[in-house]
Amino acid sequence: EFENNDFDDDVTSVNNELPNGQNVNEANIADKQTLLLQKISEHCENLSESNTNIRMASQKFLYAEFQRNFFNLDEEWKYCETVFDGLARLIRKGKSDEQCLAIKLLTTFLLQVGAAVVDQWKAKLKEILEPLYRHASNVICVRQAALNATCITYILSSDHDWQEVLIFMGHLE
């Protein structure tokens, strides 16, 4: 009786390898990530949409995907500014539920980008978020989310201003 398990292993390795030496599974993962990034890019553009339902659906999609996946986006990713500008507009002009979701999305997005990107936006984000957590008249969800986003901004920035973070955390009490 002829048994050659080595032959099966060779066939499997040939079938799972692409000409560039990349594994088929790795290629599938890369393709899926590329498709997901394209979908994310479309939703990023929708943050400036005039229709509230489209904006909210895009925020929810982006929030879920940024929580579920880590993309390690840097300043080379052309949608960073689109995301920051869209979220800044929603935070300034949105109703409290939209503001709260936009700030939570901002926080998860900050975790996707590097310190260089965070540093570019740090001053602008502080200017937008500080009035939200300082005003007692704002909804608690918005105040808490704004303070969390501010803390994350300072923690992720390259200068690591820990004293500022401690001051911000004092506002949580």
Side-chain angles (χ1 to χ4, degrees):
E1 185 174 320
F2 179 72
E3 283 188 39
N4 188 350
N5 291 336
D6 292 337
F7 176 74
D8 291 338
D9 291 341
D10 289 343
V11 170
T12 303
S13 70
V14 168
N15 289 335
N16 283 336
E17 237 177 71
L18 297 173
N20 63 2
Q22 189 179 24
N23 187 314
V24 171
N25 291 334
E26 291 171 357
N28 287 339
I29 291 170
D31 288 344
K32 286 179 183 176
Q33 190 166 23
T34 301
L35 288 173
L36 184 56
L37 276 172
Q38 287 174 346
K39 205 170 182 183
I40 284 172
S41 299
E42 292 169 17
H43 283 280
C44 289
E45 291 173 0
N46 288 343
L47 293 175
S48 298
E49 182 68 37
S50 60
N51 185 322
T52 305
N53 293 334
I54 293 173
R55 276 195 321 264
M56 289 292 281
S58 289
Q59 284 185 74
K60 289 175 184 175
F61 174 82
L62 291 169
Y63 183 64
E65 290 306 320
F66 288 148
Q67 282 187 316
R68 196 173 321 161
N69 299 293
F70 180 71
F71 296 102
N72 195 22
L73 304 171
D74 58 12
E75 59 270 359
E76 299 295 318
W77 189 60
K78 64 181 181 176
Y79 289 93
C80 281
E81 192 165 333
T82 303
V83 172
F84 280 119
D85 287 339
L87 291 176
R89 191 177 69 74
L90 293 173
I91 292 167
R92 282 190 188 114
K93 298 182 180 187
K95 294 182 179 176
S96 58
D97 57 337
E98 195 170 23
Q99 280 181 319
C100 190
L101 183 56
I103 297 168
K104 288 179 179 180
L105 173 55
L106 172 65
T107 305
T108 57
F109 183 70
L110 287 169
L111 296 170
Q112 297 285 335
V113 298
V117 175
V118 174
D119 287 341
Q120 289 174 355
W121 290 89
K122 183 178 170 183
K124 186 174 183 178
L125 292 177
K126 184 179 179 188
E127 174 188 308
I128 295 167
L129 297 171
E130 189 172 11
L132 294 175
Y133 69 77
R134 288 195 181 269
H135 259 283
S137 64
N138 285 331
V139 178
I140 191 69
C141 173
V142 171
R143 292 182 70 201
Q144 183 182 21
L147 195 53
N148 287 339
T150 304
C151 287
I152 291 295
T153 302
Y154 275 76
I155 289 169
L156 296 176
S157 68
S158 61
D159 62 2
H160 301 296
D161 191 352
W162 298 109
Q163 285 303 111
E164 267 314 293
V165 173
L166 290 174
I167 292 168
F168 295 140
M169 293 181 86
H171 289 287
L172 286 172
E173 298 176 336

